[in-house]
Amino acid sequence: MGLYVGYHGTNVLAAEKIISSQKFILSTGEDEWLGIGVYFFWDADDAGWWCADCLKLKTYTVLQADLEASTVVDFVHRRGDLESFKKFCNQVKDKSSKMGNGKKRQNYMGLAIKMMVALQKPDIIIGGFDQNRKIWFNNAELKSKFPLVVSQVQMCVLNRDCIKNISVYKEVV
Amino acid sequence: MENKKYWESLFCKLDGLTEDEFTDLANELDAAGDIPFAIEDCEVTIIDIDCVGTYSAVYCYNNKSQYKLDKDDFTYNEAA
């Protein structure tokens, strides 16, 4: 059993609806890196960054929730998961280089995630990204001098039953 | 241990697919895009989303009609 605390930033109205219904809608954007699910940040400040810097919201709410999962694919903390996923990506790549319309497939990562979820759905996928950490390493010289990587950790909850005890963590008004 | 079981099961299912079955599934996933709740017999495209992340409104169309995702029961309904 994996137990986590996640933070999700959104506008005030949506946050009120989520709190009253204790329910999230799945995120469905085509560029969702970890698949279709409800996205949480590991760090509450990143949820605030998402609202203020990405969504350009002047007022927003950061929600906190407990995440209780049976099956977790963790690309940040478990090297074995990453190695298995790489192997899986290679097999997927070898099996399908063309899409149904005959065009060459460009995005194997997206297909691999979709295929992974379709064949054996985990409750949560955890991934690390460098989105708002790039300022630390904005050129090659600094990168070599300061090689420390502190990922922005995102948790994609595919099984909404895992989300418990949704509450308001912070309001910016 | 839990994860070992997960990956073993995943690879087992992948290995169990013939090339045609794999291609069919891949094409199905491509066609479905990233829309979680499909409208039956329709190929849909998201045309407008507001409130990214929790999507207070998701609209789709299938060349004939426009649909809106119902926030309460998570189904698509024809938009007025």
Side-chain angles (χ1 to χ4, degrees), chain A residues 8 10-11 14 17-18 23-30 32 36 50 55 70-73 78 81 84-85 87-88 91-92 95-96 99-100 105 111 114-116 118-122 160, chain B residues 2-3 5-7 9-11 13-19 22-23 25-27 29-30 32-37 45-46 49 51-56 58 69-74 76:
Chain A
H8 180 100
T10 187
N11 69 58
K17 289 178 180 174
I18 291 165
K23 206 157 52 174
F24 282 88
I25 290 177
L26 300 172
S27 183
T28 60
E30 288 203 358
E32 302 294 4
I36 299 163
W50 170 254
L55 303 182
S70 299
T71 313
V72 179
V73 171
R78 291 191 200 134
D81 279 358
S84 296
F85 184 63
K87 191 176 156 195
F88 182 71
Q91 288 200 23
V92 166
K95 282 204 172 193
S96 175
M99 304 203 306
R105 186 179 296 285
L111 177 65
K114 283 179 194 172
M115 193 65 79
M116 185 178 99
L119 291 176
Q120 185 74 18
K121 190 176 179 178
R160 280 179 296 183
Chain B
E2 188 71 34
N3 263 35
K5 278 187 197 163
Y6 172 82
W7 289 110
S9 175
L10 181 67
F11 281 111
K13 286 178 182 172
L14 183 65
D15 292 342
L17 293 177
T18 64
E19 202 157 315
F22 180 93
T23 303
L25 179 57
N27 290 340
L29 293 169
D30 284 337
D34 280 329
I35 297 169
F37 308 102
T45 308
I46 291 179
I49 294 172
C51 181
V52 174
T54 47
Y55 300 162
S56 61
V58 176
L69 177 67
D70 187 295
K71 294 188 293 294
D72 295 321
D73 65 6
F74 303 105
Y76 282 105

Coordinates of all heavy atoms in Angstrom, one line a residue, chain A residues 8 10-11 14 17-18 23-30 32 36 50 55 70-73 78 81 84-85 87-88 91-92 95-96 99-100 105 111 114-116 118-122 160, chain B residues 2-3 5-7 9-11 13-19 22-23 25-27 29-30 32-37 45-46 49 51-56 58 69-74 76:
Chain A
H8 N -3.0 20.0 -5.2 CA -3.6 20.3 -6.5 C -4.1 21.7 -6.5 O -4.9 22.1 -5.7 CB -4.8 19.3 -6.7 CG -5.5 19.5 -8.0 ND1 -5.2 18.7 -9.1 CD2 -6.4 20.4 -8.4 CE1 -6.0 19.1 -10.1 NE2 -6.7 20.1 -9.7
T10 N -6.0 25.0 -8.2 CA -7.0 25.2 -9.2 C -7.7 26.6 -8.9 O -7.4 27.2 -7.9 CB -8.1 24.1 -9.3 OG1 -9.0 24.3 -10.3 CG2 -8.8 24.0 -8.0
N11 N -8.6 27.0 -9.7 CA -9.3 28.2 -9.4 C -10.3 28.1 -8.2 O -10.6 26.9 -7.9 CB -10.0 28.8 -10.6 CG -11.2 28.0 -11.1 OD1 -12.1 27.8 -10.3 ND2 -11.2 27.5 -12.3
A14 N -13.7 26.1 -8.9 CA -13.5 24.7 -9.1 C -13.1 24.0 -7.8 O -13.6 22.9 -7.5 CB -12.4 24.4 -10.1
K17 N -16.2 23.4 -5.7 CA -16.9 22.3 -6.2 C -16.3 21.0 -5.8 O -17.0 20.0 -5.5 CB -17.1 22.4 -7.7 CG -18.0 23.5 -8.1 CD -18.1 23.6 -9.6 CE -19.1 24.8 -10.0 NZ -19.1 25.0 -11.4
I18 N -15.0 20.9 -5.9 CA -14.3 19.7 -5.6 C -14.4 19.4 -4.1 O -14.7 18.2 -3.7 CB -12.8 19.8 -5.9 CG1 -12.6 19.9 -7.5 CG2 -12.0 18.6 -5.4 CD1 -11.2 20.3 -7.9
K23 N -14.8 15.2 -5.2 CA -14.6 14.4 -6.4 C -13.8 15.3 -7.4 O -14.1 16.5 -7.5 CB -15.9 14.1 -7.0 CG -15.9 12.9 -7.8 CD -17.3 12.2 -8.0 CE -18.5 13.1 -8.4 NZ -19.7 12.3 -8.6
F24 N -12.8 14.7 -8.1 CA -12.1 15.4 -9.1 C -12.5 14.9 -10.5 O -12.9 13.7 -10.6 CB -10.6 15.1 -9.0 CG -9.9 15.9 -8.0 CD1 -9.8 15.4 -6.7 CD2 -9.3 17.1 -8.3 CE1 -9.1 16.1 -5.7 CE2 -8.6 17.8 -7.3 CZ -8.5 17.3 -6.0
I25 N -12.4 15.8 -11.5 CA -12.6 15.3 -12.9 C -11.2 15.0 -13.4 O -10.2 15.7 -13.1 CB -13.2 16.4 -13.7 CG1 -14.7 16.6 -13.3 CG2 -13.2 16.1 -15.2 CD1 -15.4 17.7 -14.0
L26 N -11.1 13.9 -14.2 CA -9.8 13.5 -14.8 C -9.3 14.5 -15.8 O -10.1 15.1 -16.5 CB -10.0 12.2 -15.5 CG -10.5 11.0 -14.7 CD1 -10.7 9.8 -15.6 CD2 -9.4 10.6 -13.7
S27 N -8.0 14.7 -15.7 CA -7.4 15.6 -16.6 C -7.2 14.9 -18.0 O -6.8 13.8 -18.1 CB -6.0 16.0 -16.1 OG -5.4 16.9 -16.9
T28 N -7.6 15.6 -19.1 CA -7.7 14.9 -20.4 C -6.9 15.6 -21.5 O -7.0 15.3 -22.6 CB -9.2 14.9 -20.9 OG1 -9.6 16.2 -21.0 CG2 -10.0 14.2 -19.9
G29 N -6.0 16.5 -21.1 CA -5.2 17.1 -22.2 C -4.3 16.2 -22.9 O -3.9 15.1 -22.4
E30 N -4.1 16.5 -24.2 CA -3.3 15.5 -25.1 C -1.9 15.5 -24.7 O -1.2 14.6 -25.1 CB -3.5 15.9 -26.5 CG -4.9 15.6 -27.0 CD -4.9 15.4 -28.5 OE1 -3.9 15.6 -29.1 OE2 -6.0 15.2 -29.0
E32 N -0.7 15.4 -21.6 CA -0.5 14.9 -20.2 C 0.6 13.8 -20.2 O 0.4 12.8 -20.9 CB -1.9 14.3 -19.7 CG -3.0 15.3 -19.7 CD -2.8 16.4 -18.7 OE1 -1.8 16.5 -18.1 OE2 -3.7 17.2 -18.6
I36 N -4.0 9.8 -18.5 CA -5.3 10.4 -18.0 C -5.5 10.2 -16.5 O -5.5 9.0 -16.1 CB -6.5 9.8 -18.8 CG1 -6.3 10.0 -20.3 CG2 -7.8 10.3 -18.3 CD1 -7.2 9.1 -21.1
W50 N 1.9 26.3 -10.4 CA 1.1 25.9 -11.5 C 0.0 26.9 -11.7 O -0.3 27.4 -12.8 CB 0.5 24.5 -11.2 CG -0.6 24.1 -12.2 CD1 -1.9 24.0 -11.9 CD2 -0.4 23.7 -13.6 NE1 -2.6 23.6 -13.1 CE2 -1.7 23.4 -14.1 CE3 0.7 23.5 -14.4 CZ2 -1.9 22.9 -15.4 CZ3 0.5 23.1 -15.7 CH2 -0.7 22.8 -16.2
L55 N -1.1 29.0 -15.2 CA -2.5 29.3 -15.4 C -2.8 30.8 -15.3 O -3.8 31.3 -15.7 CB -3.5 28.6 -14.5 CG -3.4 27.0 -14.5 CD1 -4.4 26.5 -13.6 CD2 -3.6 26.5 -15.9
S70 N -2.9 0.9 -4.1 CA -2.4 -0.5 -4.0 C -1.2 -0.6 -4.9 O -0.2 -1.2 -4.6 CB -3.4 -1.5 -4.3 OG -4.5 -1.4 -3.4
T71 N -1.4 -0.1 -6.2 CA -0.4 -0.3 -7.2 C 0.1 1.0 -7.6 O -0.6 1.9 -8.2 CB -1.0 -1.0 -8.5 OG1 -1.8 -2.1 -8.0 CG2 0.1 -1.5 -9.4
V72 N 1.4 1.2 -7.4 CA 2.0 2.5 -7.7 C 3.2 2.3 -8.6 O 4.1 1.5 -8.3 CB 2.5 3.2 -6.5 CG1 3.2 4.6 -6.8 CG2 1.4 3.5 -5.5
V73 N 3.3 3.0 -9.8 CA 4.4 2.9 -10.6 C 5.2 4.2 -10.3 O 4.7 5.3 -10.6 CB 4.0 2.9 -12.1 CG1 5.2 3.1 -13.0 CG2 3.4 1.5 -12.4
R78 N 11.8 4.6 -7.5 CA 12.1 3.2 -7.7 C 12.8 3.0 -9.1 O 12.2 3.1 -10.1 CB 10.8 2.3 -7.7 CG 10.2 2.3 -6.4 CD 9.1 1.2 -6.4 NE 8.2 1.4 -5.3 CZ 6.9 1.4 -5.4 NH1 6.3 1.2 -6.6 NH2 6.1 1.5 -4.4
D81 N 11.3 0.4 -11.5 CA 10.1 0.8 -12.3 C 10.6 1.5 -13.6 O 10.0 1.2 -14.6 CB 9.2 1.8 -11.5 CG 8.3 1.0 -10.5 OD1 8.3 -0.2 -10.5 OD2 7.6 1.7 -9.8
S84 N 12.0 -1.2 -15.9 CA 11.0 -2.0 -16.5 C 10.2 -1.2 -17.6 O 9.9 -1.7 -18.6 CB 10.0 -2.4 -15.4 OG 10.6 -3.3 -14.5
F85 N 10.0 0.1 -17.3 CA 9.3 0.9 -18.2 C 10.1 1.1 -19.5 O 9.6 1.1 -20.6 CB 8.9 2.3 -17.6 CG 8.1 3.1 -18.5 CD1 6.8 2.7 -19.0 CD2 8.6 4.3 -19.0 CE1 6.1 3.5 -19.8 CE2 7.9 5.1 -19.9 CZ 6.6 4.7 -20.2
K87 N 12.2 -1.0 -20.8 CA 12.1 -2.3 -21.5 C 10.8 -2.4 -22.2 O 10.7 -2.8 -23.3 CB 12.3 -3.4 -20.5 CG 12.4 -4.8 -21.1 CD 12.6 -5.8 -20.0 CE 12.2 -7.2 -20.4 NZ 12.1 -8.1 -19.3
F88 N 9.7 -1.9 -21.5 CA 8.4 -1.9 -22.0 C 8.3 -1.0 -23.3 O 7.7 -1.3 -24.3 CB 7.4 -1.5 -21.0 CG 6.0 -1.5 -21.4 CD1 5.3 -2.7 -21.6 CD2 5.3 -0.3 -21.6 CE1 4.0 -2.7 -22.1 CE2 4.0 -0.3 -22.0 CZ 3.3 -1.5 -22.2
Q91 N 9.8 -2.6 -26.3 CA 9.0 -3.6 -26.9 C 7.8 -2.9 -27.7 O 7.5 -3.4 -28.8 CB 8.4 -4.5 -25.8 CG 9.5 -5.4 -25.3 CD 8.9 -6.6 -24.6 OE1 7.7 -7.0 -24.9 NE2 9.6 -7.2 -23.7
V92 N 7.3 -1.9 -27.1 CA 6.2 -1.1 -27.8 C 6.7 -0.5 -29.1 O 6.1 -0.6 -30.1 CB 5.6 0.0 -26.9 CG1 4.8 0.9 -27.6 CG2 4.8 -0.7 -25.7
K95 N 7.1 -3.0 -31.8 CA 5.9 -3.7 -32.3 C 5.1 -2.8 -33.2 O 4.3 -3.2 -34.0 CB 5.0 -4.1 -31.1 CG 5.4 -5.4 -30.5 CD 4.3 -6.1 -29.7 CE 4.7 -7.4 -29.3 NZ 3.6 -8.2 -28.8
S96 N 5.2 -1.5 -33.0 CA 4.3 -0.6 -33.8 C 5.0 0.7 -34.2 O 5.1 1.6 -33.4 CB 3.0 -0.2 -33.0 OG 2.3 0.7 -33.7
M99 N 1.2 4.2 -37.4 CA -0.1 4.4 -36.8 C -1.1 3.9 -37.8 O -0.8 3.5 -39.0 CB -0.4 5.9 -36.6 CG 0.7 6.5 -35.6 SD 0.2 8.0 -34.8 CE -0.4 9.0 -36.0
G100 N -2.4 3.8 -37.4 CA -3.4 3.3 -38.3 C -3.6 4.0 -39.6 O -4.0 3.3 -40.6
R105 N 4.9 6.6 -36.6 CA 4.6 7.1 -35.2 C 5.8 7.9 -34.6 O 6.9 7.6 -34.8 CB 4.5 5.8 -34.3 CG 4.0 6.1 -32.9 CD 3.8 4.9 -32.1 NE 2.7 4.0 -32.7 CZ 1.4 4.3 -32.5 NH1 1.1 5.3 -31.9 NH2 0.5 3.5 -33.0
L111 N 2.3 6.5 -26.4 CA 1.8 5.2 -26.7 C 2.1 4.2 -25.6 O 1.3 3.4 -25.1 CB 2.2 4.6 -28.0 CG 1.7 3.2 -28.4 CD1 0.2 3.2 -28.5 CD2 2.4 2.6 -29.6
K114 N 0.0 4.9 -22.6 CA -1.4 4.4 -22.9 C -1.5 2.9 -22.9 O -2.5 2.3 -22.3 CB -1.9 4.9 -24.2 CG -2.2 6.4 -24.3 CD -2.7 6.8 -25.7 CE -2.7 8.3 -25.9 NZ -2.9 8.6 -27.3
M115 N -0.5 2.3 -23.5 CA -0.5 0.8 -23.6 C -0.4 0.2 -22.2 O -1.0 -0.8 -21.8 CB 0.6 0.4 -24.5 CG 0.6 -1.1 -24.9 SD -0.9 -1.5 -26.0 CE -0.4 -0.9 -27.5
M116 N 0.5 0.8 -21.4 CA 0.8 0.3 -20.0 C -0.5 0.4 -19.2 O -0.9 -0.6 -18.6 CB 1.8 1.2 -19.4 CG 2.3 0.8 -18.0 SD 3.6 1.9 -17.4 CE 2.6 3.0 -16.4
A118 N -3.6 0.6 -20.4 CA -4.7 -0.3 -21.0 C -4.5 -1.7 -20.6 O -5.4 -2.5 -20.4 CB -4.7 -0.1 -22.5
L119 N -3.2 -2.2 -20.5 CA -3.0 -3.6 -20.3 C -3.0 -3.9 -18.8 O -3.4 -5.0 -18.4 CB -1.6 -4.0 -20.8 CG -1.5 -4.0 -22.4 CD1 0.0 -4.4 -22.8 CD2 -2.4 -5.1 -23.0
Q120 N -2.5 -3.0 -18.0 CA -2.4 -3.3 -16.5 C -2.4 -1.9 -15.8 O -1.4 -1.3 -15.7 CB -1.1 -4.1 -16.2 CG -0.9 -4.5 -14.8 CD -1.8 -5.7 -14.5 OE1 -2.4 -6.4 -15.3 NE2 -2.1 -5.9 -13.2
K121 N -3.6 -1.5 -15.4 CA -3.7 -0.2 -14.9 C -3.2 0.0 -13.4 O -3.7 -0.7 -12.5 CB -5.2 0.2 -14.9 CG -5.5 1.7 -14.6 CD -7.0 1.9 -14.8 CE -7.4 3.3 -14.5 NZ -8.8 3.6 -14.8
P122 N -2.2 0.8 -13.2 CA -1.8 1.1 -11.8 C -2.8 2.1 -11.2 O -3.5 2.8 -11.9 CB -0.4 1.7 -12.0 CG -0.5 2.4 -13.3 CD -1.4 1.6 -14.2
R160 N -9.5 7.1 -9.2 CA -10.0 8.2 -8.3 C -10.4 7.7 -6.9 O -10.5 8.5 -6.0 CB -11.1 8.9 -8.9 CG -10.6 9.9 -10.0 CD -11.7 10.7 -10.6 NE -12.6 9.8 -11.3 CZ -13.6 10.1 -12.1 NH1 -14.0 11.4 -12.1 NH2 -14.3 9.2 -12.7
Chain B
E2 N 5.1 -5.9 -4.7 CA 3.9 -5.6 -5.4 C 4.2 -5.1 -6.9 O 3.5 -5.5 -7.8 CB 3.2 -4.4 -4.7 CG 1.8 -4.0 -5.2 CD 0.8 -5.1 -4.9 OE1 0.9 -5.7 -3.8 OE2 -0.1 -5.3 -5.7
N3 N 5.2 -4.4 -7.0 CA 5.6 -3.8 -8.4 C 6.1 -4.9 -9.3 O 5.9 -4.9 -10.5 CB 6.6 -2.7 -8.2 CG 5.8 -1.4 -8.3 OD1 4.7 -1.3 -7.7 ND2 6.4 -0.4 -8.9
K5 N 5.1 -7.9 -9.4 CA 3.9 -8.6 -9.9 C 3.3 -7.7 -11.0 O 2.8 -8.2 -12.0 CB 2.9 -8.7 -8.8 CG 3.1 -9.9 -7.9 CD 2.0 -10.1 -6.9 CE 2.3 -11.0 -5.8 NZ 1.4 -10.8 -4.6
Y6 N 3.3 -6.4 -10.8 CA 2.7 -5.5 -11.8 C 3.4 -5.6 -13.1 O 2.7 -5.8 -14.1 CB 2.7 -4.0 -11.3 CG 2.3 -3.0 -12.3 CD1 0.9 -2.8 -12.5 CD2 3.2 -2.4 -13.1 CE1 0.5 -1.9 -13.5 CE2 2.8 -1.5 -14.1 CZ 1.5 -1.3 -14.3 OH 1.1 -0.4 -15.3
W7 N 4.7 -5.5 -13.1 CA 5.4 -5.5 -14.3 C 5.4 -6.9 -15.0 O 5.3 -7.0 -16.2 CB 6.9 -5.1 -14.1 CG 7.0 -3.6 -13.8 CD1 7.3 -3.1 -12.6 CD2 6.7 -2.5 -14.7 NE1 7.3 -1.7 -12.7 CE2 7.0 -1.3 -14.0 CE3 6.4 -2.4 -16.0 CZ2 6.8 -0.1 -14.5 CZ3 6.2 -1.2 -16.6 CH2 6.4 0.0 -15.9
S9 N 3.0 -9.0 -14.8 CA 1.7 -9.2 -15.4 C 1.6 -8.3 -16.7 O 1.0 -8.8 -17.7 CB 0.6 -8.7 -14.4 OG -0.7 -8.7 -15.0
L10 N 2.1 -7.1 -16.7 CA 2.1 -6.2 -17.8 C 2.8 -6.9 -19.0 O 2.3 -6.9 -20.1 CB 2.8 -4.9 -17.5 CG 2.8 -3.8 -18.6 CD1 1.4 -3.3 -18.9 CD2 3.6 -2.6 -18.1
F11 N 4.1 -7.4 -18.8 CA 4.8 -8.0 -19.9 C 4.2 -9.2 -20.4 O 4.2 -9.5 -21.6 CB 6.3 -8.2 -19.4 CG 7.1 -7.0 -19.4 CD1 7.6 -6.4 -18.2 CD2 7.5 -6.4 -20.6 CE1 8.3 -5.3 -18.3 CE2 8.3 -5.3 -20.6 CZ 8.7 -4.7 -19.4
K13 N 1.0 -9.8 -20.5 CA -0.1 -9.4 -21.4 C 0.4 -8.8 -22.7 O -0.2 -9.1 -23.8 CB -1.0 -8.3 -20.7 CG -1.8 -8.9 -19.6 CD -2.6 -7.8 -18.9 CE -3.4 -8.4 -17.8 NZ -4.1 -7.4 -16.9
L14 N 1.5 -8.1 -22.7 CA 2.1 -7.6 -23.9 C 2.6 -8.7 -24.8 O 2.3 -8.7 -26.0 CB 3.2 -6.6 -23.6 CG 3.9 -5.9 -24.8 CD1 2.9 -5.0 -25.5 CD2 5.1 -5.2 -24.4
D15 N 3.3 -9.7 -24.2 CA 3.8 -10.8 -24.9 C 2.7 -11.7 -25.5 O 2.8 -12.3 -26.5 CB 4.7 -11.7 -24.0 CG 6.0 -10.9 -23.7 OD1 6.3 -9.9 -24.3 OD2 6.6 -11.3 -22.7
G16 N 1.5 -11.6 -24.8 CA 0.4 -12.5 -25.3 C -0.3 -11.9 -26.5 O -1.2 -12.5 -27.1
L17 N 0.0 -10.6 -26.8 CA -0.7 -10.0 -28.0 C 0.0 -10.4 -29.3 O 1.3 -10.3 -29.3 CB -0.7 -8.5 -27.8 CG -1.5 -7.9 -26.7 CD1 -1.3 -6.3 -26.7 CD2 -3.0 -8.2 -26.9
T18 N -0.7 -10.8 -30.3 CA -0.1 -11.0 -31.6 C 0.2 -9.6 -32.2 O -0.3 -8.6 -31.6 CB -1.1 -11.7 -32.6 OG1 -2.2 -10.9 -32.8 CG2 -1.5 -13.0 -32.0
E19 N 1.0 -9.6 -33.3 CA 1.3 -8.3 -33.9 C 0.0 -7.5 -34.3 O -0.1 -6.3 -34.1 CB 2.2 -8.5 -35.0 CG 3.0 -7.2 -35.4 CD 4.2 -7.5 -36.1 OE1 5.0 -8.4 -35.7 OE2 4.5 -6.8 -37.1
F22 N -1.8 -6.2 -31.3 CA -1.1 -5.1 -30.7 C -1.4 -3.8 -31.6 O -1.8 -2.8 -31.1 CB 0.4 -5.3 -30.7 CG 1.2 -4.1 -30.2 CD1 1.5 -4.0 -28.9 CD2 1.5 -3.1 -31.0 CE1 2.2 -2.9 -28.4 CE2 2.2 -1.9 -30.6 CZ 2.5 -1.9 -29.2
T23 N -1.4 -4.0 -32.9 CA -1.6 -2.9 -33.8 C -3.1 -2.4 -33.6 O -3.3 -1.2 -33.6 CB -1.4 -3.3 -35.3 OG1 -0.1 -3.8 -35.4 CG2 -1.6 -2.1 -36.2
L25 N -4.9 -2.6 -30.9 CA -5.0 -1.9 -29.6 C -4.4 -0.5 -29.7 O -4.9 0.5 -29.2 CB -4.4 -2.7 -28.5 CG -4.4 -2.1 -27.1 CD1 -5.9 -1.8 -26.7 CD2 -3.8 -3.0 -26.1
A26 N -3.2 -0.5 -30.4 CA -2.5 0.8 -30.5 C -3.3 1.8 -31.3 O -3.5 3.0 -30.9 CB -1.1 0.6 -31.2
N27 N -4.0 1.3 -32.4 CA -4.8 2.2 -33.2 C -6.0 2.6 -32.4 O -6.5 3.8 -32.5 CB -5.2 1.5 -34.5 CG -4.0 1.3 -35.4 OD1 -3.0 2.0 -35.3 ND2 -4.1 0.3 -36.3
L29 N -6.2 3.0 -29.2 CA -5.8 4.0 -28.2 C -5.5 5.3 -28.9 O -5.8 6.4 -28.4 CB -4.5 3.5 -27.5 CG -4.7 2.3 -26.6 CD1 -3.4 1.7 -26.1 CD2 -5.6 2.7 -25.4
D30 N -4.9 5.3 -30.1 CA -4.6 6.5 -30.9 C -6.0 7.2 -31.2 O -6.1 8.4 -31.0 CB -4.0 6.2 -32.2 CG -2.5 5.8 -32.0 OD1 -1.9 6.3 -31.0 OD2 -1.9 5.1 -32.9
A32 N -8.8 6.9 -29.7 CA -9.5 7.4 -28.5 C -8.9 8.6 -28.0 O -9.5 9.4 -27.3 CB -9.5 6.3 -27.4
G33 N -7.6 8.9 -28.4 CA -7.0 10.1 -27.9 C -6.8 10.0 -26.4 O -6.6 9.0 -25.8
D34 N -7.0 11.2 -25.8 CA -6.9 11.2 -24.3 C -8.2 11.5 -23.7 O -8.3 12.1 -22.6 CB -5.9 12.2 -23.9 CG -4.5 11.6 -24.1 OD1 -4.3 10.4 -23.9 OD2 -3.5 12.4 -24.4
I35 N -9.3 11.1 -24.4 CA -10.6 11.5 -23.8 C -11.1 10.3 -23.0 O -11.2 9.2 -23.5 CB -11.6 11.7 -24.9 CG1 -11.2 13.0 -25.7 CG2 -13.0 12.0 -24.3 CD1 -11.9 13.2 -26.9
P36 N -11.3 10.5 -21.7 CA -11.6 9.3 -20.8 C -13.0 8.7 -21.0 O -13.2 7.6 -20.8 CB -11.4 9.9 -19.4 CG -11.7 11.4 -19.6 CD -11.3 11.7 -21.0
F37 N -13.9 9.5 -21.3 CA -15.3 9.0 -21.4 C -15.8 9.2 -22.8 O -16.3 10.3 -23.2 CB -16.2 9.8 -20.4 CG -15.6 9.8 -19.0 CD1 -14.9 11.0 -18.6 CD2 -15.6 8.7 -18.2 CE1 -14.4 11.0 -17.3 CE2 -15.1 8.8 -17.0 CZ -14.4 9.9 -16.5
T45 N -13.5 15.1 -30.6 CA -12.3 16.0 -30.4 C -12.6 17.1 -29.4 O -13.7 17.7 -29.4 CB -12.0 16.7 -31.7 OG1 -11.9 15.7 -32.7 CG2 -10.6 17.5 -31.6
I46 N -11.7 17.2 -28.5 CA -11.9 18.3 -27.5 C -11.7 19.6 -28.2 O -10.7 19.8 -28.8 CB -10.9 18.2 -26.3 CG1 -11.3 17.0 -25.5 CG2 -11.0 19.4 -25.4 CD1 -10.4 16.7 -24.3
I49 N -11.5 23.9 -23.6 CA -11.3 23.5 -22.2 C -11.1 24.7 -21.4 O -10.3 25.6 -21.8 CB -10.1 22.5 -22.0 CG1 -10.4 21.2 -22.7 CG2 -9.9 22.3 -20.5 CD1 -9.2 20.3 -22.7
C51 N -10.3 26.1 -17.4 CA -9.9 25.6 -16.0 C -9.1 24.3 -16.1 O -9.5 23.2 -15.8 CB -11.1 25.4 -15.1 SG -10.6 24.8 -13.5
V52 N -7.9 24.4 -16.7 CA -7.0 23.3 -16.9 C -6.7 22.6 -15.6 O -6.6 23.3 -14.5 CB -5.7 23.7 -17.5 CG1 -4.7 22.5 -17.6 CG2 -5.9 24.3 -18.9
G53 N -6.8 21.3 -15.6 CA -6.4 20.6 -14.3 C -7.7 20.0 -13.7 O -7.8 18.8 -13.4
T54 N -8.7 20.8 -13.5 CA -9.9 20.3 -13.0 C -11.1 20.5 -14.0 O -12.2 20.2 -13.7 CB -10.3 21.0 -11.7 OG1 -10.1 22.4 -11.8 CG2 -9.4 20.5 -10.6
Y55 N -10.8 21.1 -15.1 CA -11.7 21.3 -16.2 C -13.2 21.5 -15.8 O -14.0 20.6 -15.6 CB -11.7 20.1 -17.1 CG -10.3 19.9 -17.7 CD1 -10.0 18.6 -18.3 CD2 -9.4 20.9 -17.8 CE1 -8.8 18.4 -18.8 CE2 -8.2 20.7 -18.3 CZ -7.9 19.5 -18.8 OH -6.6 19.3 -19.4
S56 N -13.5 22.8 -15.6 CA -14.9 23.1 -15.2 C -15.8 22.9 -16.4 O -17.0 22.7 -16.3 CB -15.0 24.5 -14.7 OG -14.6 25.4 -15.6
V58 N -15.6 20.8 -20.4 CA -15.0 20.2 -21.5 C -16.0 20.0 -22.6 O -17.0 19.4 -22.3 CB -14.4 18.8 -21.1 CG1 -13.8 18.1 -22.3 CG2 -13.3 19.0 -20.0
L69 N -19.1 17.9 -21.1 CA -18.8 16.9 -20.1 C -19.6 17.3 -18.8 O -19.5 18.4 -18.4 CB -17.3 16.8 -19.7 CG -17.0 15.9 -18.6 CD1 -17.2 14.4 -19.0 CD2 -15.5 16.0 -18.2
D70 N -20.4 16.4 -18.3 CA -21.2 16.7 -17.1 C -20.2 16.5 -15.9 O -19.6 15.4 -15.8 CB -22.4 15.7 -17.0 CG -23.2 16.0 -15.8 OD1 -22.8 15.9 -14.7 OD2 -24.4 16.4 -16.1
K71 N -20.1 17.5 -15.1 CA -19.2 17.5 -14.0 C -19.6 16.5 -12.9 O -18.8 16.1 -12.1 CB -19.0 18.9 -13.5 CG -18.3 19.8 -14.5 CD -18.0 21.1 -13.8 CE -19.2 21.9 -13.4 NZ -20.0 22.4 -14.6
D72 N -20.9 16.3 -12.8 CA -21.4 15.5 -11.7 C -21.3 14.0 -11.9 O -20.9 13.2 -11.1 CB -22.8 15.9 -11.3 CG -22.8 17.3 -10.9 OD1 -21.9 17.7 -10.1 OD2 -23.8 18.1 -11.2
D73 N -21.8 13.6 -13.1 CA -21.8 12.1 -13.4 C -20.7 11.7 -14.4 O -20.7 10.6 -14.8 CB -23.2 11.6 -13.8 CG -23.6 12.2 -15.1 OD1 -22.8 12.8 -15.8 OD2 -24.8 11.9 -15.5
F74 N -19.9 12.7 -14.8 CA -18.8 12.4 -15.7 C -19.2 11.7 -17.0 O -18.5 10.8 -17.5 CB -17.7 11.5 -15.0 CG -17.2 12.1 -13.7 CD1 -17.7 11.7 -12.5 CD2 -16.4 13.2 -13.8 CE1 -17.2 12.3 -11.3 CE2 -15.9 13.8 -12.6 CZ -16.4 13.3 -11.4
Y76 N -20.7 12.6 -21.1 CA -20.9 13.7 -22.1 C -22.4 13.8 -22.5 O -23.0 12.8 -22.7 CB -20.1 13.4 -23.3 CG -18.6 13.7 -23.2 CD1 -17.7 12.6 -23.0 CD2 -18.2 15.0 -23.2 CE1 -16.4 12.9 -22.9 CE2 -16.8 15.2 -23.0 CZ -15.9 14.2 -22.9 OH -14.6 14.5 -22.7

